Amino acid sequence: GEPVIPRNANSIFIKSIINKTKVENLDQFFQQKFIQGIKLDGRLAVSDNLQASDLLFTGIIKRFRVENLTYDSIGRVDKKRIKVSCIIYLKDIKNNKLIISGERILSYFTFSELTPPIISEYFAIDSILQQLSDRFVKKIVTGWYTELMSKMEKGSIKKNTQ
């Protein structure tokens, strides 16, 4: 994808992430990861002053769902999948122009607490928030995050565009 941010944009103000799920503190954990991701990328400085910033980012965590996928021989849940759906907005403050307007970004993470490699639900949540943060950063800085998508996600895009 093409870069979505103007070449002269150097700073971003990250408005508090809105959590529309029932999972407490999901917004705060995600916001920390997202700010860290923007800082590590290095293209934009994270600003705490809206008026002095070039860009305004707003994100909404719309859905968070844990699905049971498979069960073992005695009926315990073996594999689970976490799905997170977010909506993002990015505004060029100087030109009063929406760059990204309500785009949906999804992330999935499949794990098992019984079958190796054993991953706790806490670690799975941390991993999906990191994955989502990486996608947000890539989307803002480069315009797309295809290289971060799973084979399943890439396959569904091909089906939808044919």
Side-chain angles (χ1 to χ4, degrees):
E2 291 293 313
V4 295
I5 55 175
R7 294 193 194 290
N8 62 345
N10 296 312
S11 62
I12 185 168
F13 180 86
I14 301 168
K15 193 172 177 182
S16 293
I17 304 292
I18 299 166
N19 185 3
K20 297 271 186 172
T21 74
K22 293 180 176 160
V23 182
E24 282 187 47
N25 301 322
L26 195 62
D27 50 336
Q28 294 167 21
F29 291 131
F30 176 72
Q31 184 141 349
Q32 289 171 355
K33 289 192 176 298
F34 180 57
I35 289 170
Q36 181 182 18
I38 289 286
K39 287 178 177 178
L40 285 172
D41 175 75
R43 167 63 181 86
L44 295 167
V46 177
S47 173
D48 57 2
N49 181 341
L50 178 60
Q51 283 73 30
S53 300
D54 299 311
L55 304 170
L56 167 64
F57 173 85
T58 307
I60 303 167
I61 304 172
K62 295 285 282 184
R63 284 206 175 95
F64 177 93
R65 189 167 70 210
V66 179
E67 301 173 326
N68 298 336
L69 296 179
T70 62
Y71 298 85
D72 68 7
S73 59
I74 59 171
R76 296 179 299 180
V77 176
D78 183 31
K79 285 199 174 187
K80 298 178 185 179
R81 178 172 50 210
I82 298 176
K83 290 171 134 179
V84 180
S85 172
C86 298
I87 306 291
I88 65 169
Y89 298 87
L90 185 66
K91 183 177 183 179
D92 178 341
I93 296 171
K94 306 292 185 217
N95 297 312
N96 197 27
K97 178 184 168 196
L98 268 177
I99 298 169
I100 299 173
S101 178
E103 185 165 331
R104 187 170 74 138
I105 295 186
L106 300 170
S107 207
Y108 305 88
F109 190 84
T110 303
F111 67 102
S112 175
E113 294 179 295
L114 299 176
T115 306
I118 294 173
I119 297 172
S120 70
E121 190 165 316
Y122 176 83
F123 183 80
I125 291 169
D126 187 68
S127 296
I128 198 167
L129 293 178
Q130 184 63 56
Q131 188 181 86
L132 204 54
S133 169
D134 293 345
R135 289 174 180 215
F136 276 35
V137 172
K138 282 282 186 191
K139 178 65 185 173
I140 288 168
V141 175
T142 68
W144 195 240
Y145 55 89
T146 311
E147 70 270 19
L148 301 176
M149 296 172 78
S150 68
K151 289 179 184 175
M152 182 180 84
E153 289 174 288
K154 288 179 183 176
S156 70
I157 286 176
K158 287 177 185 171
K159 286 179 193 171
N160 291 334
T161 58
Q162 290 177 349

